[in-house]
Amino acid sequence: MTVPGRRSSTFTRLLRHGFTDPGAAERLLELPVMAPVRTDPLLLDALGAAADPDLALQGLVRLAEAQSDRVFLDTLVTSKPLRDRLLGVLGASEALGDHLARHPGDWRVLATYEAADLHPGVEEFEDCLADATDPVGLRVGYRRCLLAIAARDVCGTTDVAETAAELADLATATLRAALAIARAAAPGDAALCRLAVIALGKCGGHELNYVSDVDVVFVGEPAAGADENSALQAATRLASHLMRICSETTVEGTIWPVDANLRPEGRHGPLVRTLSSHVAYYQRWAKTWEFQALLKARAVAGDPTLGEDYIEAVSPLVWQAAERDNFVADVQKMRRRVVDNIPAAEVERELKLGPGGLRDVEFAVQLLQLVHGRADATLRSGSTLEALQALAAGGYVGRADAAQLDEAYRFLRAMEHRIQLHRLRRTHLVPEDEDDLRRLGRSLGLRTDPVAELNREWRRHASVVRRLHEKLFYRPLLDAVAQLAPGETRLSTKAAGQRLEALGYADPASALRHLEALASGVSRKAAIQRTLLPVLLGWFADSADPDAGLLGFRKVSDALGRTPWYLRLLRDEGAAAENLARVLSAGRLAPDLLLRAPEAVAILGDPGGLVPRRRDHLEPETLAAVGRAETAEAAVVAARGVRRRELFRTAAADLISSYGTEDSPAEPDTGALVDQVGGALTDLTAATIAGALRAAVRERWGDELPTRFAVIGMGRFGGHELAYGSDADVLFVHEPREGVDDQEAARAANTVVEEMRRLLQLPSADPPLLIDADLRPEGKSGPMVRTLASYEAYYRRWSLVWESQALLRAEPMAGDPALGARFMELVDPLRYPAEGLGDDAVREIRRLKARMESERMPRGADPTLHTKLGRGGLSDVEWTVQLFQLRHGWAEPGLRTTRTREALAAAHGAGLIGTEDAQILDEAWVLATRVRNAVMLVRGRAGDTFPSDGRELAAVGRYLGYGPGHVGDMLDDYRRITRRARAVVEVLFYGA
C-alpha cells in the first residue's frame, strides 16, 4: 500500500524508464486487462526502450482490450522478438497503433522471426497482398506489411537504405495489386491493351519514404488485333482506376497519392501514351529536368516486356541529356534554390528543401550522374546512396566528401522516416513541439538529452550538406589539376572538362589552365586557393559568365598573390570572397576597374566598404590629391585614381545589392538602388570636375583665377541621375573679379574650360569623363563660357521654351558657390514661370517631343526596347514630369527639384497625377534606368538598348533579377511596363 503523499515504487520506476506522465501510465497498468503482464519486469524494460514509452503503453492497452483471448498477452510475455518489435512500433507510430486497434489480429506478423522475414522483397509483399480484392482490403494488407517494415526499422534490423528499399518494394507490390483489382473490374478493357507502369522518383530509385507520392508514367500498346485508339482509351481507364484505388480515402484511410504529372506534357498531356509517342516526345521536346526524373525510371507493374522496352528506349536519351544545347541553362535554373513557396517560418525546419536539406544531396548526385554517366555506366543507379558511392569510387567525388555526405544523408533520411512514421502523414518539417522532438530524438538512439542532442546532430549534418554540396562539384577538379595525393583516383582531363562545361563554363580547357595555375603546388598560397576555389567556382557558375569570373579571379590573384592580406581577407572575411565572385562574374566594367587597382578588393571585405561616399568626403580627398601633384597632368591622374576606386565601390555595391548573397537577399527596392547609383555617380563626377578645375587654375594662375567661375550641372548630372555611361552636361559661367578687365576675364575663363576638357580627355584606360556643354545658349554655335550678365541678357531676349525645360535640371556642381547661387536665382523665373506655361509654349514642347521621337530614334532600333527614346522610356517619363514642373512649379514648391522621381512624387502629392499613373511612370523610369546601368556594367560600354549577344543579355537579366532561362520574360516584362507608361504619357503629356 502506498503511503499518502508519497510516490509509489511503480511511479518511480516508470519515471526512470522514460515515461513523461508516470501517473497516467501507472493507472493504465492497473487496468484489469493488463493483469497478466503487470508484474513482468521485462515489459517495463521494453516499454522504456521505445521512442515514446507513454504512447507505446497506450497502444498496448488498446490492443490488449481488443483481444478475445489471452494468446496475445501470453506470447508477449514469452517472446522477446514480439515484445521488442511491437512496443518499438507502438512507441514510434500512433497511426500503426490505431491500425492494430482496428485489426487486433495483425500483431501476429510481428511474432515470427525467420530469415525470410528479415529482408522481404516484392514477391513476399505480393503474397501478403494476394487476398486483397478491393481498395479497403488492399489498405488493410498494405498496413499489415508496413507494420513489419516499421518493426525492422525501429529495432535496427534494417538501416535507412534497406528500409527505403523495402518501402519501394511494397509500393511495387501495391501497384501490381491495384492494377489487378482494376483489371478484374474491367476485363474488357484489360483484354484490349497492354499497360506498363513505370515508377519514377523515390519509388523508381528504390528509396521511398513512409509517406510519399508515388511518381509514375503509364505506357500503353494495343493487344493483338486491337485498335490503337480503343486500346489507349481502355488503358487510360485502367490507369485512372489504379490511381483511384491507391489514392482515394476509404474507411481504412488512403495508401498514398499516385502522381502521374511527370509524364510528357505534365497534367496537360494524355495519361497513357504508346512507347513510340513517349520516345518522340523525349527526343524533341523534353527538358533537362525530365531526363533527371528518368534517371530513376523502373518498370514496376503491368506488362513486363513493354516496361522493359520503355526502359531500354529512354535510357540512352537520359545519358545524352548533357550534350543538349539547353543543358547548361537548365542546370543553372535547377541549381538555384527555390524556397519561395516555403513559408518563411518553415524554411529552417524543412528537411527536404531547406538549406542543407535532402534535395541538396540528391540534386548534386543526379547532376554528376547526368554529366559523367554518359561515359561511365557504373554511375547509372537510381539510388542516391549507391550513386554517391559509385561517384566516389570513380574519382568523380572526393572519398572523404562522399563519406560525410553519405552519413549526413542517412541521418536526414532517418529523421524524415521517423517524422512521417508517427502519424503516417506526408511531411518534411521537423516538429516544434517538445514531446514530438523528444520522441524523434529517442527513436534515433539519442537518449541522454534527446531534444538537445537531436538539434545538435541535425544542425551538424545540415551544415555538412550545405558546406559540401557545392564543393562536391569542384573539389575533384582541383584534385585533378593539383595532383598532390599519389595513388588517388582522379577525374580525367576529359571528365573535368565535361563537368565544367555542364556547369556553364564555355571554355573548360582555359578554365582548367586557370585552376592549375592557381591551385598547383605545395605553397601556402596554393593551399589557401584550394580551400577557396571550390566555393568560388560555385558562385562563378551561378552567374551568366563563369569564365569571366574565373579569369578575373586569376588576374586579381596574380596581381595580389604575394600580398599577405589578400588571401587572408578572402579566407577569413566571409563576405569578401562571395562579394568578389559576384563582382568578377557580373560583367566587364567592375572587373576592369578592379584590375587597374587590385588593392580596391579590400573594399569588399569592409562592412562599410560598399556604402558609396558622399560629395562632402570625396571633394576634399580629390582636392588634396590634386594639391600634392606637381603638374596639372599628374593632378588629373590622381583625381582619376579616386574616381576609379569610387566607381568600383559604386558598381560593386550595385551588383551585390542586385544579385544578393547567401546571407542577404537582393535589395527589393530597385528605386532606392537607382537613386543610390545616380547620387553616387553625380557626387563622384562633381568631385572629379572640381579637381580638374583646381588643377587647371593652379597650373596657370596659382590659387586664384582672375574671374569668378562656376560649373552648372545640367541634364542627368544636374538631376543626380547619372548612369555609368553618362556624359556630364554642363554650363560654364564666370564673372570678372573687381578691377579685372572683361577681356582678360573672358580669356581666363575660356582657357580654364579648354584646359579642364583637355585634362579630362587625356588618354587613359579608365572610363572617360566627357564634358558636354551643348545645352548652352545658342548651342554649339554659342560661346563655351559666358558671364552671368551675358546669360541674363540672352535669356531675357532670346530664350526658347526648350531652354527653360533644360534649365529645370540646372544645379551648381563646382567652382564659386556664390556665383552658382546667383545663376540659380537668374534662371528660376525661366524654369518656374509665373502662372505657368501658356498654351503656345505647351504646344511647342509637344511638337518638339514628337519631332524627337520621329527623327532621333537610331535606324533599326526596336522602339519597344530603346530605354531612352523608346515607347514609355526615359524621355517619355521625363518630358511628362518636366511639363508638370513648367506648368505648376511656380505654385507647388515640391516640384522645384532637379530629380525626376522627386518631382513625380511631388506632382502626385499635389494631386496633379493619380496614384496608379504615378506608380506606372515611376516603375518604367526606374526599370529603363536600371537597364542602361546593366548594359554598361555587363558590356563595359554604354548602350540604350538590350544587348544582342546571348550571354550579355542573360547577364543583364541576372542583374534585373531574372534567373537562367528567363530572358524572354525579362523582355516581355519590359515591353509590358513601358507600354503601360506610354499609355499614361499619351494622356498626361499629349492630352489624348
Side-chain angles (χ1 to χ4, degrees):
M1 178 177 176
T2 303
V3 177
R6 292 184 60 186
R7 291 176 173 174
S8 69
S9 59
T10 304
F11 183 99
T12 305
R13 288 168 57 213
L14 290 169
L15 196 63
R16 191 167 59 246
H17 277 82
F19 285 83
T20 58
D21 190 352
E26 191 173 12
R27 289 190 294 274
L28 288 174
L29 286 171
E30 292 297 326
L31 291 172
V33 73
M34 298 300 290
V37 296
R38 185 182 303 139
T39 58
D40 181 5
L42 297 178
L43 176 66
L44 204 56
D45 290 340
L47 284 167
D52 186 340
D54 300 84
L55 182 64
L57 180 57
Q58 292 166 18
L60 178 61
V61 170
R62 293 174 66 200
L63 179 56
E65 289 175 336
Q67 302 300 317
S68 59
D69 53 40
R70 288 190 47 165
V71 175
F72 164 65
L73 288 177
D74 290 345
T75 309
L76 185 70
V77 171
T78 58
S79 173
K80 176 175 169 51
L82 172 63
R83 195 163 54 244
D84 292 343
R85 298 168 99 189
L86 175 64
L87 296 180
V89 169
L90 290 175
S93 179
E94 183 180 320
L96 290 177
D98 293 342
H99 171 82
L100 283 168
R102 290 196 308 273
H103 303 280
D106 280 1
W107 64 268
R108 289 179 172 82
V109 303
L110 305 179
T112 56
Y113 202 75
E114 300 173 0
D117 297 313
L118 294 182
H119 301 292
V122 176
E123 290 183 9
E124 287 77 14
F125 288 127
E126 284 190 282
D127 291 341
C128 184
L129 300 175
D131 295 335
T133 57
D134 57 44
V136 172
L138 184 60
R139 280 153 178 71
V140 174
Y142 177 83
R143 292 283 193 281
R144 189 180 302 122
C145 295
L146 199 63
L147 196 60
I149 293 175
R152 288 187 290 274
D153 179 15
V154 299
C155 292
T157 307
T158 54
D159 66 16
V160 67
E162 291 169 328
T163 301
E166 288 187 13
L167 289 166
D169 285 341
L170 175 56
T172 297
T174 305
L175 288 170
R176 292 177 182 180
L179 182 56
I181 294 172
R183 284 177 177 277
D189 284 345
L192 277 175
C193 65
R194 299 164 60 208
L195 177 65
V197 184
I198 312 298
L200 303 176
K202 283 187 162 53
C203 183
H206 241 79
E207 51 186 16
L208 196 60
N209 301 329
Y210 275 102
V211 186
S212 174
D213 291 356
V214 171
D215 296 310
V216 299
V217 294
F218 296 104
V219 193
E221 293 288 346
D227 171 68
E228 182 175 299
N229 285 336
S230 300
L232 286 178
Q233 290 172 7
T236 299
R237 289 191 290 270
L238 289 173
S240 298
H241 193 188
L242 177 153
M243 294 173 70
R244 292 196 303 274
I245 289 169
C246 295
S247 305
E248 286 182 347
T249 301
T250 69
V251 292
E252 286 292 336
T254 184
I255 302 178
W256 20 245
V258 176
D259 188 344
N261 287 336
L262 293 179
R263 66 186 184 269
E265 300 180 74
R267 65 185 61 195
H268 302 295
L271 184 62
V272 182
R273 289 175 182 257
T274 62
L275 177 57
S276 60
S277 176
H278 275 281
V279 172
Y281 173 85
Y282 287 124
Q283 287 176 332
R284 293 193 62 188
W285 307 112
K287 295 182 170 57
T288 299
W289 68 263
E290 293 177 279
F291 293 111
Q292 186 181 12
L294 288 173
L295 272 173
K296 298 180 180 293
R298 179 170 64 94
V300 292
D303 190 301
T305 303
L306 179 57
E308 290 308 315
D309 288 345
Y310 175 91
I311 299 299
E312 188 176 331
V314 302
S315 288
L317 301 177
V318 172
W319 305 113
Q320 295 165 12
E323 300 169 6
R324 293 161 60 92
D325 290 341
N326 60 347
F327 181 74
V328 171
D330 286 348
V331 165
Q332 285 186 312
K333 197 184 308 181
M334 292 189 297
R335 285 182 67 247
R336 293 176 68 85
R337 181 178 304 284
V338 181
V339 294
D340 295 345
N341 294 326
I342 306 174
E346 296 181 359
V347 170
E348 292 303 317
R349 297 192 294 124
E350 254 284 351
L351 272 178
K352 181 178 180 180
L353 302 177
L358 292 163
R359 193 182 67 170
D360 281 350
V361 182
E362 292 161 357
F363 175 80
V365 169
Q366 290 164 20
L367 176 57
L368 292 176
Q369 285 181 278
L370 286 175
V371 172
H372 300 296
R374 48 182 163 168
D376 189 343
T378 65
L379 306 181
R380 300 176 184 178
S381 169
S383 161
T384 300
L385 290 173
E386 288 179 9
L388 182 58
Q389 185 178 6
L391 287 163
Y396 302 101
V397 170
R399 289 185 183 274
D401 291 347
Q404 288 188 66
L405 275 180
D406 182 283
E407 180 188 5
Y409 187 74
R410 287 175 184 272
F411 182 84
L412 296 174
R413 282 301 302 272
M415 281 185 69
E416 182 183 44
H417 277 185
R418 302 300 162 80
I419 291 169
Q420 294 183 347
L421 180 59
H422 181 220
R423 291 192 173 91
L424 289 182
R425 291 178 182 170
R426 182 175 181 266
T427 178
H428 308 287
L429 288 178
V430 178
E432 294 179 293
D433 181 77
E434 188 85 3
D435 291 340
D436 288 336
L437 290 171
R438 180 175 181 273
R439 183 190 62 255
L440 179 57
R442 285 173 58 89
S443 76
L444 296 170
L446 307 172
R447 297 301 173 100
T448 306
D449 186 353
V451 176
E453 291 178 72
L454 173 67
N455 281 318
R456 185 166 57 248
E457 286 298 293
W458 170 34
R459 299 302 179 189
R460 180 175 72 84
H461 287 297
S463 175
V464 166
V465 173
R466 200 160 49 237
R467 188 178 75 250
L468 285 183
H469 97 278
E470 285 284 358
K471 293 183 180 180
L472 202 66
F473 302 122
Y474 303 107
R475 187 172 283 165
L477 296 169
L478 301 175
D479 293 341
V481 298
Q483 300 182 354
L484 293 177
E488 282 285 320
T489 305
R490 295 190 187 89
L491 284 180
S492 66
T493 302
K494 180 179 178 182
Q498 287 174 336
R499 183 174 301 190
L500 284 166
E501 193 171 9
L503 293 165
Y505 289 82
D507 187 354
S510 293
L512 284 172
R513 286 196 300 274
H514 299 325
L515 292 179
E516 185 173 5
L518 289 164
S520 294
V522 295
S523 67
R524 176 176 171 275
K525 169 186 169 185
I528 296 176
Q529 290 282 22
R530 286 193 295 274
T531 302
L532 292 169
L533 277 166
V535 182
L536 287 168
L537 286 169
W539 287 325
F540 294 148
D542 197 36
S543 73
D545 195 350
D547 301 80
L550 180 55
L551 174 60
F553 181 68
R554 180 181 176 183
K555 288 179 177 179
V556 173
S557 295
D558 287 347
L560 294 176
R562 296 184 183 278
T563 308
W565 57 264
Y566 167 63
L567 290 175
R568 186 169 64 246
L569 171 77
L570 298 184
R571 182 192 63 193
D572 299 339
E573 296 292 337
E578 184 178 3
N579 289 344
L580 178 62
R582 300 299 184 200
V583 167
L584 290 176
S585 56
R588 296 180 185 175
L589 179 64
D592 286 350
L593 292 167
L594 180 60
L595 290 172
R596 285 196 289 276
E599 65 279 359
V601 76
I603 290 171
L604 302 175
D606 178 0
L610 293 175
V611 178
R613 294 189 177 178
R614 303 295 300 270
R615 183 174 169 185
D616 53 0
H617 287 87
L618 290 173
E619 192 165 315
E621 181 185 2
T622 302
L623 295 178
V626 167
R628 290 190 295 269
E630 297 190 1
T631 66
E633 288 79 4
V636 168
V637 168
R640 279 177 166 172
V642 175
R643 178 172 182 259
R644 182 192 313 121
R645 184 197 69 212
E646 295 306 316
L647 269 177
F648 173 73
R649 188 194 308 274
T650 301
D654 186 15
L655 289 167
I656 292 164
S657 296
S658 296
Y659 274 66
T661 64
E662 290 186 351
D663 293 330
S664 60
E667 170 58 55
D669 187 351
T670 54
L673 279 180
V674 164
D675 292 343
Q676 176 178 290
V677 171
L681 294 176
T682 298
D683 287 349
L684 181 54
T685 298
T688 305
I689 289 176
L693 175 59
R694 174 69 61 85
V697 171
R698 192 188 62 175
E699 183 80 359
R700 180 86 175 263
W701 292 277
D703 292 333
E704 185 174 273
L705 193 65
T707 185
R708 296 180 182 84
F709 187 90
V711 181
I712 309 298
M714 300 287 285
R716 299 195 180 284
F717 184 25
H720 294 256
E721 296 164 355
L722 284 178
Y724 292 106
S726 298
D727 296 346
D729 291 317
V730 298
L731 298 178
F732 299 111
V733 58
H734 79 103
E735 186 176 59
R737 295 186 184 277
E738 292 76 5
V740 177
D741 178 70
D742 287 353
Q743 291 186 344
E744 179 187 351
R747 282 195 299 271
N750 278 286
T751 301
V752 164
V753 170
E754 291 171 7
E755 181 66 0
M756 284 175 61
R757 300 182 78 189
R758 182 187 74 82
L759 291 171
L760 290 172
Q761 292 175 9
L762 288 173
S764 168
D766 292 318
L769 174 53
L770 300 179
I771 292 179
D772 186 342
D774 288 352
L775 292 176
R776 64 189 185 271
E778 302 179 74
K780 293 180 181 179
S781 304
M784 186 66 69
V785 58
R786 290 174 181 261
T787 63
L788 187 62
S790 175
Y791 275 106
E792 190 276 332
Y794 174 85
Y795 287 138
R796 186 178 65 251
R797 297 186 60 191
W798 309 109
S799 176
L800 300 175
V801 68
W802 72 263
E803 291 176 300
S804 295
Q805 183 181 357
L807 288 169
L808 287 168
R809 305 269 207 137
E811 183 173 308
M813 289 296 178
D816 189 303
L819 180 59
R822 290 168 61 206
F823 181 87
M824 302 315 297
E825 292 173 4
L826 168 67
V827 301
D828 273 352
L830 289 169
R831 54 185 184 172
Y832 309 126
E835 304 302 324
L837 286 184
D839 291 342
D840 289 345
V842 171
R843 280 193 293 272
E844 175 64 11
I845 287 180
R846 289 172 175 165
R847 187 187 65 80
L848 289 171
K849 177 74 169 66
R851 178 181 170 188
M852 183 180 72
E853 290 177 8
S854 63
E855 295 180 1
R856 294 183 59 187
M857 179 72 70
R859 175 181 287 184
D862 182 347
T864 66
L865 294 176
H866 198 279
T867 60
K868 185 176 181 181
L869 301 175
R871 179 193 67 191
L874 297 172
S875 175
D876 270 359
V877 177
E878 289 165 2
W879 280 60
T880 301
V881 171
Q882 288 161 13
L883 183 58
F884 278 100
Q885 289 181 283
L886 289 166
R887 299 179 77 174
H888 303 284
W890 65 279
E892 292 293 340
L895 289 172
R896 299 171 202 165
T897 174
T898 63
R899 294 163 170 81
T900 300
R901 297 188 72 214
E902 280 189 11
L904 179 58
H908 170 248
L912 301 173
I913 301 178
T915 299
E916 184 179 1
D917 287 349
Q919 290 173 344
I920 289 171
L921 292 179
D922 186 70
E923 181 183 21
W925 189 88
V926 167
L927 177 58
T929 302
R930 294 202 80 217
V931 171
R932 294 182 92 204
N933 283 340
V935 170
M936 183 67 181
L937 286 167
V938 169
R939 301 176 68 195
R941 61 181 187 275
D944 288 322
T945 191
F946 289 87
S948 56
D949 177 81
R951 180 158 285 204
E952 291 179 346
L953 189 60
V956 169
R958 297 298 292 277
Y959 172 84
L960 295 177
Y962 293 86
H966 288 281
V967 164
D969 294 338
M970 171 181 69
L971 298 178
D972 289 345
D973 286 348
Y974 183 86
R975 288 188 170 104
R976 174 180 54 80
I977 290 168
T978 53
R979 181 174 63 249
R980 294 175 67 207
R982 178 63 184 200
V984 173
V985 170
E986 291 286 349
V987 174
L988 297 182
F989 183 82
Y990 287 109

